[in-house]
Amino acid sequence: MKIDKFVLFIILAIVLAYFFPELGVKQVINTISSVGISLIFFFYGLKLSPSKLKAGLKNWKLHILVQVATFILFPLLVLIVKPFLLNQEQETIWLAFFFLAALPSTVSSSVVMVSIAKGNMPAAIFNASISGIIGILVTPLWMGLFVTNDQTSFNFIDIYTKLIVQIILPVVLGLLLQRYLGTFAQKHSSKITLFDKSIILLIIYKSFASSFTNNIFSTVSALDLVLLLAGVLVLFTITYFSTGFIATKLNFNIEDKITAQFCGTKKSLVHGTVFSKIIFGNMAAIGIILLPIMLFHATQILIISVIASKLAKRKV
């Protein structure tokens, strides 16, 4: 297995934030990342095919399973652990896990992995796309239950205003201009993906630079970091096999089961980095908040890649 290059660049961004944190706290970086976020979702709107979304509506049982796994099963599994927290450091790590659990699915890797495994591609495109839209509404609602005012200035009106301006309006604008620029977006899809990843890396660098400047990671023990990685693996394993079990009980064919398990266990690093900036603002522990989603991103790509490769060898 080759190591995903994007994962390596994430590690590089964190290393740069550690040695050169001063650049990450400058206003120009904040401005570039804010504009970049809007452009990410503008391009997302250009590439979002209304016809494919309309065609995908028919397989409603599969869609419900994927969205329930993404927005209900994940958060409930993390909520179970909350009564066992012992101190403020663990509370922060738990909040980071809950943020991961509340995030929508990711579009690109979900569709790519389903394609490799010969799953239901139209359903994968539909669920991965609609998940991002649902997440704009649901993720802040989940986080509002546990983000306290002493952690960050959490304000629903302010947050949804930012979401509308930075995400929803660019997506709508992209959809409106799709008939004129849709072909251009598809033709330059690889370059747009590179741009998306560059903005994500910039946000990660900025987030960790802020945390290193405030010495946040000095409060996290080595045991907590080990438990964090273990927690990511446990969370993925439970959701993967749970969605597979339910899909079997619902008599899904192998293609639909693949889509349910692959899309229902994905979490979007794009939305994670964007939402963290909007929901948590300049919260000192923002680097810790992003740790679980980055570990989950790397883990899910590695594990699902292996599974998809094996499934691809079956006779269709």
Side-chain angles (χ1 to χ4, degrees):
M1 292 295 300
K2 292 183 179 179
I3 298 176
D4 189 273
K5 290 181 180 178
F6 187 48
V7 174
L8 293 178
F9 278 110
I10 288 175
I11 296 171
L12 178 60
I14 296 171
V15 171
L16 288 174
Y18 179 78
F19 287 106
F20 307 101
E22 61 280 352
L23 182 60
V25 296
K26 291 187 177 180
Q27 182 59 37
V28 63
I29 298 295
N30 188 57
T31 302
I32 293 172
S33 60
S34 295
V35 174
I37 287 168
S38 296
L39 287 174
I40 284 175
F41 284 91
F42 170 69
F43 292 135
Y44 178 68
L46 285 180
K47 295 189 291 183
L48 193 61
S49 172
S51 59
K52 289 182 179 179
L53 290 180
K54 186 178 179 180
L57 282 170
K58 298 176 182 177
N59 202 342
W60 60 272
K61 287 184 180 179
L62 174 57
H63 307 329
I64 290 175
L65 175 57
V66 171
Q67 302 310 321
V68 166
T70 302
F71 294 110
I72 297 179
L73 177 60
F74 263 99
L76 290 180
L77 288 172
V78 178
L79 277 172
I80 293 172
V81 182
K82 197 174 193 306
F84 301 98
L85 301 177
L86 301 175
N87 51 51
Q88 184 60 45
E89 289 75 20
Q90 291 183 4
E91 283 274 359
T92 302
I93 292 176
W94 179 87
L95 184 65
F97 260 99
F98 192 74
F99 178 57
L100 158 66
L103 288 171
S105 178
T106 179
V107 177
S108 56
S109 58
S110 289
V111 175
V112 169
M113 293 304 172
V114 169
S115 175
I116 292 172
K118 301 175 183 176
N120 186 334
M121 276 289 289
I125 294 170
F126 174 83
N127 278 286
S129 301
I130 205 70
S131 179
I133 297 171
I134 295 172
I136 294 172
L137 299 174
V138 174
T139 302
L141 287 175
W142 269 122
M143 297 312 299
L145 298 176
F146 301 101
V147 177
T148 58
N149 290 329
D150 61 327
Q151 292 171 310
T152 181
S153 55
F154 193 95
N155 183 297
F156 276 111
I157 295 176
D158 183 48
I159 285 170
Y160 277 110
T161 299
K162 289 180 180 178
L163 287 172
I164 290 170
V165 173
Q166 287 192 276
I167 296 177
I168 295 178
L169 287 181
V171 169
V172 172
L173 182 61
L175 286 169
L176 292 174
L177 294 176
Q178 190 179 80
R179 60 182 297 183
Y180 306 107
L181 299 174
T183 304
F184 172 85
Q186 294 296 336
K187 182 179 179 181
H188 297 279
S189 181
S190 60
K191 294 179 181 177
I192 291 174
T193 300
L194 180 62
F195 172 80
D196 293 352
K197 290 181 177 180
S198 298
I199 295 299
I200 293 168
L201 290 172
L202 183 64
I203 295 173
I204 289 172
Y205 166 76
K206 180 182 180 299
S207 300
F208 275 83
S210 175
S211 294
F212 286 132
T213 300
N214 291 283
N215 295 317
I216 293 300
F217 289 101
S218 62
T219 65
V220 182
S221 67
L223 176 60
D224 283 336
L225 289 175
V226 172
L227 290 175
L228 193 149
L229 179 58
V232 163
L233 292 170
V234 169
L235 191 59
F236 172 83
T237 302
I238 293 175
T239 51
Y240 183 83
F241 286 105
S242 295
T243 50
F245 175 78
I246 296 171
T248 300
K249 289 296 182 182
L250 292 174
N251 296 316
F252 284 8
N253 57 35
I254 183 64
E255 288 78 15
D256 285 353
K257 183 178 179 181
I258 288 170
T259 301
Q261 288 184 289
F262 283 21
C263 293
T265 56
K266 293 284 185 180
K267 289 293 178 176
S268 175
L269 181 59
V270 174
H271 287 82
T273 50
V274 169
F275 284 7
S276 69
K277 187 173 181 296
I278 295 173
I279 293 174
F280 299 101
N282 295 319
M283 179 179 174
I286 190 67
I288 294 177
I289 294 295
L290 286 174
L291 267 178
I293 180 58
M294 289 191 291
L295 284 174
F296 195 89
H297 175 80
T299 302
Q300 69 183 2
I301 287 178
L302 178 62
I303 297 174
I304 294 296
S305 294
V306 174
I307 296 172
S309 298
K310 290 183 179 180
L311 288 170
K313 296 176 182 178
R314 76 183 191 282
K315 291 183 180 181
V316 179

